[in-house]
Amino acid sequence: QEIRNRVMYSLFSMVLTFGVVYLYSEKFLYFLTKSFILLDFPKHRGFIFTDMTEALVTHFYMSFLATFLFSLPFLIYNILSFLKPSFYNFDFSKILKEIVSLLWI
C-alpha cells in the first residue's frame, strides 16, 4: 500500500512538472542557449533544424531532462522515506550523509 502511494505521488509530480516545463519550454531553451544565440554572427541568429520533427523532439527532450532535474529531490525523498524503517538510525544517517554529499557534486 505504501509503495503504491509513493509511486503514484512520484508519477503525479513528474507529470505535473513535465506539463509546466513543457509550457515554458521556449523560455527554458532560450535560457540554455542564450550565450550561443547572442554571439555576433550576422547570418545565424537562431536554430537550424535539419528534420521536420527535430524542433518538437528538442523541446520534448529538454522538458524530460528538466522534469527529471526538478523532480529528483522529491523522488529521493520518497525512496528514503520508504526505506527508512528498514535501517538502523546510524545506518540511515550514514546513507543520508552520502546522498547529500553526492548531490553537492
Side-chain angles (χ1 to χ4, degrees), residues 9-93:
Y9 288 148
S10 299
L11 287 177
F12 178 71
S13 72
M14 290 186 78
V15 167
L16 186 67
T17 306
F18 179 79
V20 171
V21 168
Y22 188 72
L23 283 175
Y24 295 103
S25 65
E26 290 279 333
K27 293 181 182 182
F28 278 115
L29 197 59
Y30 176 73
F31 176 74
L32 290 174
T33 59
K34 185 166 79 169
S35 61
F36 295 115
I37 291 174
L38 294 179
L39 290 175
D40 194 25
F41 292 124
K43 291 183 181 178
H44 305 292
R45 284 284 182 183
F47 295 112
I48 298 172
F49 297 112
T50 58
D51 191 13
M52 285 182 81
T53 60
E54 193 172 357
L56 180 68
V57 171
T58 301
H59 286 277
F60 271 128
Y61 185 68
M62 191 269 318
S63 297
F64 281 128
L65 289 178
T67 298
F68 180 72
L69 182 69
F70 292 146
S71 297
L72 190 63
F74 188 68
L75 292 173
I76 291 174
Y77 169 75
N78 277 328
I79 291 169
L80 288 178
S81 295
F82 179 73
L83 294 176
K84 187 176 181 179
S86 65
F87 291 116
Y88 291 115
N89 286 336
F90 62 91
D91 286 338
F92 188 73
S93 65

Side-chain angles (χ1 to χ4, degrees), residues 93-105:
S93 65
K94 286 180 186 178
I95 290 172
L96 193 60
K97 287 178 186 177
E98 290 178 9
I99 288 175
V100 168
S101 66
L102 283 174
L103 290 178
W104 273 110
I105 295 175

